[in-house]
């Protein structure tokens, strides 16, 4: 943290020197017109369209071009090159996972599409899969609690996927690539008009991988086999006075399995050959409608349904979840006050075949019904041309947990030329136990889920200091620095105990407190000669403390670094992209004192290179190599999956406390368990793809090729 403070003092002193040497405003504006200052429009921080530089809440933006530097079959995989954001695999067999933001697990991350919370407990597994990337305009990321505006699940941060407006999209777009492992990914999209009042954008994503591979020779598939299709359709309607009316729908169906190499569908749910087979179907409908009144009142709505049919060996997991959400917002500007108020209601239905929905009183099944009405208000106060103050508060009434209050305050100061921006925020967040998330995580690890007592909502307080510094060098070169120091303190934290019983994951409120703190720095170099460099680093300290004992959180690194380096040979139409990440050791869950696997992961890195050739007709061809270092988690370990030779624990003996005993058949005293996984188990592979964009009018062909 001392290094973080020194970093901020250095940056702030640079800003004071820059302010004292300000030149004429017209000259500054002329410079900014030649060099892109990355002043995009964002909506995630304040739920209103606002310039990124004017937003009192720090929001990170990643455009489609950023993700094109390393094409992936899903947005879940693409997030691995964003600083402070890490896709975490939770099972080495079925390859389901979640998104960690600043070290906090998936249940703390809210995923939105076009600002709507249409995803549920499995959001970071399925909410980020199957969205045609040709339809993505940008991804906005807010780190830190956003519960004041978005409610539960937004404690660690939120990921808002903004899809393209039909008017800005190509008439037809196609993007297809395949890898040397046999993966095939296809994105197809197009737009059309219905009369003069309606325009629509439709896209289809198809991913297929059906080639079992066992390079680590444990008898199990290294990568899950998948067959996934997703359809997305968005409509915009023209109305008087440019009032908003849009809605979109998405359907995704996926069939994935992993397991022993000789597993077949006929073994599904049995105890002869081990396999984890997951059938998923989910649908989503969401939209915005501005009421035909003088005041700016907007109705936002979303509904979604999720059907899960999974087996993990001989254990079945059958679940249904339906969520309905409605929100009415009113926006009014009164002199220096920009007011936003909202009424929200969220209904969640959940049912499964586990004890999570069993009735303790009457026996039998008892589906969960949760009603969550709420109200929020925020006031963005313009104090002066250089400073703004944002005050917000939200009240929710959870039908199970009762009243929950979440306030926040944000302050922003900027120099007159906006080359220096300081943001300070303090906010409160809350989270309730999401059965779909916690239970699924347990089952993917082939363990029994146990909830101790009635889990209470956990609350957190977060402090955040963000400083942005921009340098313009001549007329074409730009350097941007974005540094943040953060601290989050948790009460009643919901923790998962992997260690007490190797056959269980036990969830309970922490009898103590937990902390997530650290610092991050993003650096952006843009040069007129075609070179662009994005680099980021994050220092993390995530731990819990009970009875005076500090314990580091599992699966959490202390340092992470990412980079994205691209260079365009303008005369040749070639672009080369070099992307990568670096992670420091993480604490891993061992099953016993005699477990021979390493208690900490090594420092590891995944690096990729890509070459793209753009043609003048909107066509581009790209290819390269992923995982150049051929890194996989089994490096330096005797095995990854515990007792892969006995997945049904037929030869495991247990003592009176339920602990596995050391026997000649089981020399390490282990049970079958695939949760010792901290990174992707897929080695080096080549890839080749083709992309084509067709525009209705003669737009800039080079622009079309790079979209």
């Amino acid at each position: 943290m001392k290094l973080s403070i020194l970093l901020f003092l250095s940056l702030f002193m640079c800003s004071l020197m820059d302010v004292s040497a300000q030149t004429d405003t017209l000259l500054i504006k002329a410079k900014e017109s030649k060099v892109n200052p990355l002043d995009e429009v964002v909506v995630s921080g304040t739920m209103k369209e606002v310039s990124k530089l004017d937003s009192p809440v720090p929001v990170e933006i990643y455009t489609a071009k950023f993700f094109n530097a390393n094409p992936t079959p899903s947005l879940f995989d693409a997030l691995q090159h964003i600083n402070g954001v890490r896709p975490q695999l939770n099972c080495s067999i079925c390859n389901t996972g979640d998104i960690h933001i600043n070290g906090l697990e998936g249940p703390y991350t809210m995923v939105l599409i076009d600002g709507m919370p249409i995803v549920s407990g499995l959001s970071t597994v399925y909410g980020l899969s199957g969205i045609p990337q040709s339809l993505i305009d940008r991804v906005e990321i807010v780190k830190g609690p956003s519960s004041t505006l978005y409610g539960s699940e937004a404690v660690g941060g939120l990921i808002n996927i903004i899809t393209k407006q039909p008017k800005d999209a190509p008439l037809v777009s196609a993007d297809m690539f395949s890898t040397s492992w046999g993966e095939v990914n296809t994105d197809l999209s197009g737009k059309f008009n219905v009369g003069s009042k309606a325009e629509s954008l439709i896209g289809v994503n198809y991913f297929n991988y059906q080639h079992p591979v066992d390079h680590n020779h444990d008898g199990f598939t290294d990568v899950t086999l998948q067959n996934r299709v997703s359809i997305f359709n968005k409509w915009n309607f023209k109305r008087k006075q440019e009032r908003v009316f849009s809605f979109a729908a998405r359907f995704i169906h996926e069939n994935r399995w992993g397991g022993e190499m000789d597993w077949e569908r006929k073994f599904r749910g049995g105890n002869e050959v081990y396999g984890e087979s997951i059938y998923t179907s989910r649908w989503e409908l969401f939209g915005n409608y501005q009421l035909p009144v003088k005041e700016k009142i907007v109705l936002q709505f979303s509904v979604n349904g999720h059907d899960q049919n999974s087996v993990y060996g001989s254990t079945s997991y059958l679940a249904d979840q339906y969520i309905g959400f409605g929100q009415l917002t009113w926006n009014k500007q009164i002199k220096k006050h920009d007011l936003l108020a909202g009424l929200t209601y969220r209904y969640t239905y959940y049912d499964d075949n586990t004890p999570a929905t069993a009735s303790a009183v009457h026996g039998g099944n008892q589906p969960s019904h949760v009603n969550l009405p709420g109200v929020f208000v925020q006031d963005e106060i313009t104090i002066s041309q250089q400073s703004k103050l944002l005050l917000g508060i939200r009240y929710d009434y959870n039908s199970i947990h009762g009243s929950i209050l979440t306030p926040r305050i944000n302050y922003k100061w900027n120099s007159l030329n906006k080359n220096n921006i300081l943001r300070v925020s303090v906010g409160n967040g809350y989270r309730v136990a999401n059965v779909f998330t916690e239970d699924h995580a347990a089952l993917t690890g082939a363990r029994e889920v146990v909830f101790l007592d009635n889990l209470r909502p956990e609350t957190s307080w977060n402090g955040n200091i963000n400083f942005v510094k921009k340098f313009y060098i001549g007329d074409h070169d730009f350097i941007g620095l974005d540094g943040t120091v953060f601290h989050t303190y948790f009460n009643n934290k919901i923790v998962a105990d992997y260690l007490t019983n190797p056959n269980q994951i036990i969830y309970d409120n922490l009898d103590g407190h937990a902390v997530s703190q650290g610092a991050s720095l993003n650096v952006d170099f843009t040069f007129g000669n075609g070179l662009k460099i994005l680099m980021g680093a994050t220092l993390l300290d995530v731990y819990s403390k009970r009875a005076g004992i500090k314990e580091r959180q599992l699966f959490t690194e202390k340092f992470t670094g990412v980079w994205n380096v691209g260079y365009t040979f303008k005369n040749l139409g070639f672009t080369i992209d070099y992307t990568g990440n670096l992670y420091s050791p993480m604490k891993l869950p061992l099953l016993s004192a005699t477990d021979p696997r390493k208690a900490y992961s090594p420092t590891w890195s995944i690096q990729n290179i890509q070459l793209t050739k753009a043609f003048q007709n909107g066509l581009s061809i790209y290819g390269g190599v992923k995982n150049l270092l051929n890194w996989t988690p089994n490096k330096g370990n005797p095995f990854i999956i515990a007792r892969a030779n006995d997945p049904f624990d037929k030869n495991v003996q247990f003592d009176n406390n339920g602990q596995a005993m050391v026997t000649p058949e089981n020399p390490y005293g282990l049970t079958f368990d695939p949760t010792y996984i901290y990174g992707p188990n897929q080695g080096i592979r080549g890839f080749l793809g083709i992309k084509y964009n067709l525009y209705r009018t003669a737009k800039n062909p080079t622009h079309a090729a790079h979209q």
Side-chain angles (χ1 to χ4, degrees):
M1 297 300 293
K2 291 182 179 179
L3 290 175
S4 306
I5 296 172
L6 289 174
L7 165 69
F8 267 82
L9 287 174
S10 300
L11 291 175
F12 194 70
M13 289 301 294
C14 288
S15 72
L16 293 178
M17 293 172 62
D18 182 79
V19 170
S20 64
Q22 286 179 19
T23 58
D24 186 82
T25 304
L26 292 176
L27 178 59
I28 293 169
K29 289 185 177 179
K31 280 189 177 183
E32 292 183 351
S33 67
K34 293 182 179 181
V35 181
N36 180 12
L38 303 179
D39 190 12
E40 300 96 336
V41 171
V42 297
V43 296
S44 301
T46 59
M47 212 178 280
K48 301 176 299 182
E49 286 195 352
V50 62
S51 161
K52 176 185 176 182
L53 297 182
D54 287 334
S55 172
V57 178
V59 181
E60 296 181 15
I61 299 177
Y62 298 90
T63 64
K65 189 174 181 180
F66 174 86
F67 297 112
N68 287 341
N70 179 39
T72 59
S74 74
L75 194 57
F76 176 84
D77 299 312
L79 295 176
Q80 64 184 289
H81 296 301
I82 294 179
N83 187 24
V85 179
R86 184 170 66 85
Q88 166 66 37
L89 292 178
N90 295 325
C91 174
S92 58
I93 296 178
C94 65
N95 289 170
T96 54
D98 55 34
I99 297 294
H100 288 202
I101 294 183
N102 285 343
L104 297 177
E105 303 98 321
Y108 296 91
T109 301
M110 173 170 277
V111 178
L112 307 98
I113 298 181
D114 289 335
M116 296 303 297
I118 52 83
V119 287
S120 50
L122 293 177
S123 59
T124 52
V125 181
Y126 301 103
L128 294 174
S129 297
I131 300 174
Q133 296 200 41
S134 59
L135 298 183
I136 296 176
D137 178 65
R138 66 188 187 275
V139 175
E140 299 180 1
I141 295 179
V142 177
K143 299 173 183 175
S146 301
S147 295
T148 301
L149 285 183
Y150 295 98
S152 182
E153 297 179 26
V155 177
L158 63 89
I159 299 172
N160 192 1
I161 305 160
I162 309 295
T163 60
K164 292 180 179 178
Q165 294 297 332
K167 62 183 178 63
D168 299 324
L171 183 65
V172 176
S173 179
D175 187 357
M176 295 169 282
F177 74 87
S178 181
T179 73
S180 57
W181 277 49
E183 300 160 294
V184 177
N185 186 76
T186 302
D187 277 342
L188 299 174
S189 66
K191 70 175 181 180
F192 59 91
N193 295 334
V194 178
S196 60
K197 298 293 185 181
E199 52 187 5
S200 181
L201 186 62
I202 188 168
V204 177
N205 169 261
Y206 179 68
F207 176 74
N208 185 278
Y209 173 65
Q210 301 296 324
H211 181 56
V213 172
D214 180 22
H215 287 166
N216 60 12
H217 307 295
D218 61 2
F220 279 74
T221 54
D222 291 345
V223 179
T224 303
L225 282 70
Q226 298 179 50
N227 193 349
R228 182 182 69 234
V229 61
S230 176
I231 303 173
F232 181 88
N233 187 208
K234 181 176 184 178
W235 287 81
N236 280 3
F237 298 90
K238 296 180 181 179
R239 300 174 60 207
K240 294 180 180 179
Q241 300 179 356
E242 297 185 349
R243 291 192 177 100
V244 175
F245 179 32
S246 68
F247 69 84
R250 184 170 74 120
F251 174 78
I252 181 172
H253 178 77
E254 182 181 78
N255 176 4
R256 68 163 65 194
W257 77 268
E260 294 185 86
M261 291 291 288
D262 56 347
W263 186 89
E264 298 178 19
R265 195 169 183 176
K266 64 182 180 181
F267 297 118
R268 192 176 195 266
N271 61 359
E272 297 179 53
V273 180
Y274 189 90
E276 297 186 353
S277 171
I278 302 174
Y279 301 153
T280 299
S281 293
R282 74 176 279 123
W283 56 267
E284 304 157 351
L285 176 67
F286 52 98
N288 296 272
Y289 179 77
Q290 186 175 346
L291 301 187
V293 295
K294 183 178 179 181
E295 297 290 333
K296 188 175 182 180
I297 301 177
V298 177
L299 172 66
Q300 298 174 300
F301 60 89
S302 71
V303 289
N304 69 77
H306 191 116
D307 175 69
Q308 189 86 4
N309 182 328
S310 308
V311 294
Y312 305 94
S314 58
T315 302
S316 66
Y317 176 60
L318 308 175
D320 291 299
Q321 181 165 279
Y322 301 96
I323 295 179
F325 174 82
Q327 179 168 274
L328 197 65
T329 62
W330 170 72
N331 186 206
K332 181 74 171 181
Q333 196 151 10
I334 305 174
K335 296 183 178 180
K336 294 185 177 183
H337 297 264
D338 193 351
L339 298 170
L340 178 70
L343 297 172
T344 70
Y345 176 75
R346 180 170 175 172
Y347 167 76
T348 303
Y349 168 90
Y350 174 77
D351 189 21
D352 68 18
N353 65 330
T354 76
T357 55
S359 173
V361 179
H362 305 290
N365 196 52
Q366 186 177 4
S368 170
H369 302 267
V370 178
N371 295 283
L372 187 65
V375 58
F376 66 86
V377 61
Q378 73 173 19
D379 184 9
E380 186 176 325
I381 307 168
T382 301
I383 301 174
S384 68
Q385 187 179 355
Q386 294 178 264
S387 60
K388 288 185 177 181
L389 181 66
L390 179 70
L391 305 174
I393 192 167
R394 181 187 182 103
Y395 170 78
D396 288 302
Y397 183 82
N398 187 289
S399 58
I400 296 177
H401 299 288
S403 298
I404 304 172
L405 195 67
T406 49
R408 75 164 172 173
I409 179 171
N410 297 72
Y411 173 76
K412 181 184 79 74
W413 171 89
N414 60 263
S415 59
L416 290 175
N417 58 9
K418 295 187 179 179
N419 284 350
N420 312 280
I421 299 175
L422 175 69
R423 297 180 176 96
V424 180
S425 65
V426 177
N428 177 252
Y430 78 96
R431 183 175 82 91
V432 298
N434 190 313
V435 176
F436 215 2
T437 300
E438 274 76 22
D439 195 53
H440 183 78
L443 285 168
T444 57
R447 299 186 182 207
E448 176 190 1
V449 61
V450 176
F451 292 97
L452 293 184
D453 302 322
N454 292 320
L455 295 180
R456 303 183 303 277
E458 63 177 60
T459 59
S460 65
W461 283 97
N462 172 269
N464 188 302
I465 302 175
N466 171 257
F467 187 75
V468 176
K469 172 71 177 176
K470 299 188 298 179
F471 300 92
Y472 295 96
I473 306 171
D475 293 338
H476 303 287
D477 300 335
F478 165 77
I479 300 176
L481 303 177
D482 189 334
T484 301
V485 173
F486 57 90
H487 178 91
T488 306
Y489 183 95
F490 293 91
N491 283 315
N492 295 333
K493 193 173 191 293
I494 301 170
V495 293
D497 179 1
Y498 287 81
L499 305 178
T500 299
N501 189 325
N503 294 312
Q504 296 177 334
I505 299 182
I506 303 171
Y507 292 94
D508 195 9
N509 289 109
L510 178 67
D511 183 17
H513 69 272
V515 169
S516 171
Q517 61 184 357
S520 67
L521 177 65
N522 289 315
V523 184
D524 179 1
F525 299 92
T526 302
F527 301 102
N529 62 0
L531 177 64
K532 185 173 179 62
I533 302 173
L534 295 173
M535 297 188 300
T538 298
L539 296 173
L540 285 172
D541 183 20
V542 184
Y543 65 88
S544 60
K545 196 169 186 178
R546 67 181 102 191
I549 300 175
K550 180 178 177 180
E551 184 176 351
R552 181 177 169 184
Q553 181 174 283
L554 293 173
F555 301 111
T556 304
E557 67 278 11
K558 284 185 173 292
F559 170 83
T560 179
V562 296
W563 62 88
N564 186 322
V565 181
Y567 184 80
T568 300
F569 300 88
K570 297 180 180 179
N571 295 333
L572 301 176
F574 276 102
T575 299
I576 186 169
D577 293 293
Y578 171 52
T579 58
N581 50 47
L582 177 69
Y583 299 106
S584 69
M586 310 172 192
K587 185 179 179 181
L588 302 173
L590 299 182
L591 298 183
S592 71
T594 53
D595 193 331
R597 295 174 296 181
K598 294 181 178 179
Y600 288 85
S601 68
T603 298
W604 55 282
S605 173
I606 293 182
Q607 302 173 27
N608 321 281
I609 194 165
Q610 175 183 261
L611 184 65
T612 304
K613 168 61 178 176
F615 299 91
Q616 293 297 313
N617 58 358
L619 177 70
S620 60
I621 298 175
Y622 58 91
V625 179
K626 291 179 179 291
N627 197 355
L628 285 164
L629 304 180
N630 195 28
W631 176 90
T632 54
N634 63 296
K635 305 287 186 182
N637 265 312
F639 51 82
I640 292 296
I641 301 175
R643 289 196 62 78
N645 63 318
D646 184 20
F648 296 100
D649 289 336
K650 293 180 180 180
N651 297 316
V652 177
Q653 298 181 29
F654 298 92
D655 61 20
N656 294 331
N657 296 320
Q659 301 291 330
M661 299 172 59
V662 174
T663 65
E665 287 287 332
N666 188 8
Y668 302 120
L670 306 180
T671 57
F672 173 73
D673 188 86
T675 59
Y676 183 97
I677 184 73
Y678 53 90
N681 201 31
Q682 192 172 21
I684 188 171
R685 58 206 182 277
F687 66 96
L688 182 65
I690 185 171
K691 185 182 302 183
Y692 179 69
N693 289 326
L694 173 66
Y695 286 88
R696 187 185 305 274
T697 57
K699 292 186 75 170
N700 184 332
T702 303
H703 169 77
H706 285 281
Q707 285 293 309

